[in-house]
Amino acid sequence: TSLNIQNHPLNLLLKSSISTTMKLSLASLALLAASASAFTAVTPAGRASTSLNILAGTQSATERVANVMAARPEENEAIDALVKKNFPGAISNKAMETKIASILEAKGFTPANTLLCTSLCCDELARNLEDDLNKVYGHNFNLGGLSGFPFAGNTGFGAMSAHVPDDGFCLLVHGPHVGISKDGVIGKVERSGIALVDNCCGSAIAASNYLKGITDGSANINPGIQLFSDFQQGAVQELILPFGKRLARADERMRELPYALYDSQEVMVTDIVNTGKASIKQGLAVLGGIQINTAPDQLDYFHPLRFDYYDADGNLVENMLPYLR
């Protein structure tokens, strides 16, 4: 009654299990080998370095601006005179962008080594200038919120500075905006697809009305002004409070409003730049002023009030504003 171990069912089951396990192990090893080869580092063809190109290509900034401006309408003499009568010192975006590109190009700013940073209003009309500059220098880092205030603050500026290419530059553009309609009403502007001649800037006008109510003695102070559901507008209203008398005495409140907002913003921008200027790499250009939005079929304008250049050590070394006049 000797036991035939070779043909015992348990032995046959064990052999089958071992065979299956070996097959699975071999398959697993093959899969791992294929996976490893898939992750083998491959140097992209034609890539010389790992330095960041904000906007790749061989065209210079001035060439890119010329291409962008070729699609813009020609200057309308009547609108040009209307804008400059109400905002002396304003120039068309077309003229300003051309000058900026040329001035900064002479300092080494190129589409490949420059990070665009903006602090402009959330309104889509405030994107016109930003979109033009995107086509020259690439995507922008956004510091701005309602009315153009740099609500991203010191934290935002610090993060932005870290994104500037090594040995590269930053162009910071900031300021509030205001509309002017074809018939010369300041604080109003025509918008695409909307029959109503709409407020511009809505946030600024709401803050101005709030302030007017306080100076007139008719406002109910809102104890929930800093609710997170609308804290930016609450901040705009608080930041404009010191300009109550100035606006009340202005001959044209809507014309004075963007300049009051700019003066308030300039304090914030200067503090943010001074706090973070140690992180400047090759250089920083700061352009500040008032955006002036016109009808969709017309050129927009800008009243430059500041155009400063900071060197790699964070020193303010040049006032470039006269070059824009």
Side-chain angles (χ1 to χ4, degrees):
T1 62
S2 61
L3 181 63
N4 187 352
I5 296 176
Q6 294 294 329
N7 296 323
H8 193 280
L10 288 174
N11 187 50
L12 293 174
L13 179 62
L14 179 60
K15 286 182 177 180
S16 175
S17 175
I18 291 171
S19 175
T20 302
T21 302
M22 289 179 67
K23 289 178 182 178
L24 287 173
S25 298
L26 290 171
S28 299
L29 287 170
L31 179 60
L32 286 170
S35 299
S37 65
F39 287 97
T40 300
V42 178
T43 303
R47 184 169 181 177
S49 72
T50 58
S51 60
L52 175 63
N53 279 341
I54 298 298
L55 193 59
T58 58
Q59 280 189 321
S60 68
T62 51
E63 290 171 328
R64 290 181 185 275
V65 168
N67 291 339
V68 172
M69 291 303 118
R72 296 290 177 266
E74 291 299 319
E75 201 169 86
N76 181 303
E77 290 185 9
I79 295 296
D80 186 69
L82 179 67
V83 170
K84 291 177 179 177
K85 175 185 175 183
N86 286 281
F87 300 97
I91 59 175
S92 71
N93 282 6
K94 192 172 188 176
M96 184 184 71
E97 291 169 37
T98 301
K99 290 180 178 181
I100 287 172
S102 177
I103 293 165
L104 295 183
E105 206 165 73
K107 293 188 176 297
F109 287 66
T110 71
N113 71 6
T114 301
L115 177 62
L116 173 66
C117 177
T118 61
S119 184
L120 305 170
C121 186
C122 305
D123 192 317
E124 72 276 8
L125 293 182
R127 305 279 74 74
N128 293 341
L129 174 61
E130 189 175 84
D131 288 347
D132 284 353
L133 294 174
N134 286 157
K135 292 168 185 171
V136 178
Y137 296 107
H139 293 306
N140 62 288
F141 189 106
N142 182 27
L143 293 178
L146 289 177
S147 290
F149 280 92
F151 287 119
N154 295 319
T155 299
F157 187 87
M160 179 278 298
S161 298
H163 301 171
V164 175
D166 296 336
D167 298 322
F169 299 84
C170 175
L171 168 59
L172 169 58
V173 182
H174 74 93
H177 72 128
V178 62
I180 183 168
S181 66
K182 287 184 176 180
D183 57 358
V185 179
I186 300 173
K188 298 281 187 179
V189 74
E190 296 83 0
R191 295 178 186 262
S192 296
I194 301 175
L196 176 70
V197 179
D198 196 21
N199 287 344
C200 178
C201 164
S203 168
I205 292 171
S208 173
N209 290 339
Y210 174 80
L211 178 57
K212 189 174 185 296
I214 292 175
T215 55
D216 289 349
S218 60
N220 292 319
I221 304 299
N222 179 10
I225 197 169
Q226 293 294 0
L227 290 175
F228 277 105
S229 57
D230 203 18
F231 83 94
Q232 284 197 11
Q233 184 59 28
V236 173
Q237 291 173 183
E238 287 194 23
L239 289 163
I240 202 176
L241 285 176
F243 301 93
K245 287 184 178 179
R246 172 176 165 180
L247 291 174
R249 294 170 179 170
D251 293 333
E252 172 58 77
R253 188 180 182 94
M254 286 298 101
R255 183 191 295 121
E256 188 65 24
L257 177 59
Y259 291 98
L261 286 166
Y262 175 82
D263 288 345
S264 181
Q265 290 174 22
E266 179 64 10
V267 174
M268 289 183 66
V269 170
T270 299
D271 178 70
I272 289 168
V273 169
N274 286 339
T275 300
K277 64 184 181 182
S279 60
I280 293 172
K281 293 187 178 175
Q282 193 66 20
L284 167 70
V286 180
L287 172 66
I290 313 294
Q291 283 198 85
I292 303 159
N293 300 124
T294 64
D297 59 342
Q298 303 296 325
L299 292 173
D300 276 350
Y301 285 73
F302 194 89
H303 185 186
L305 299 171
R306 173 185 185 181
F307 193 28
D308 291 334
Y309 181 67
Y310 293 79
D311 66 15
D313 296 320
N315 299 311
L316 176 55
V317 293
E318 188 174 5
N319 171 19
M320 302 183 291
L321 189 59
Y323 308 149
L324 296 180
R325 291 172 179 159

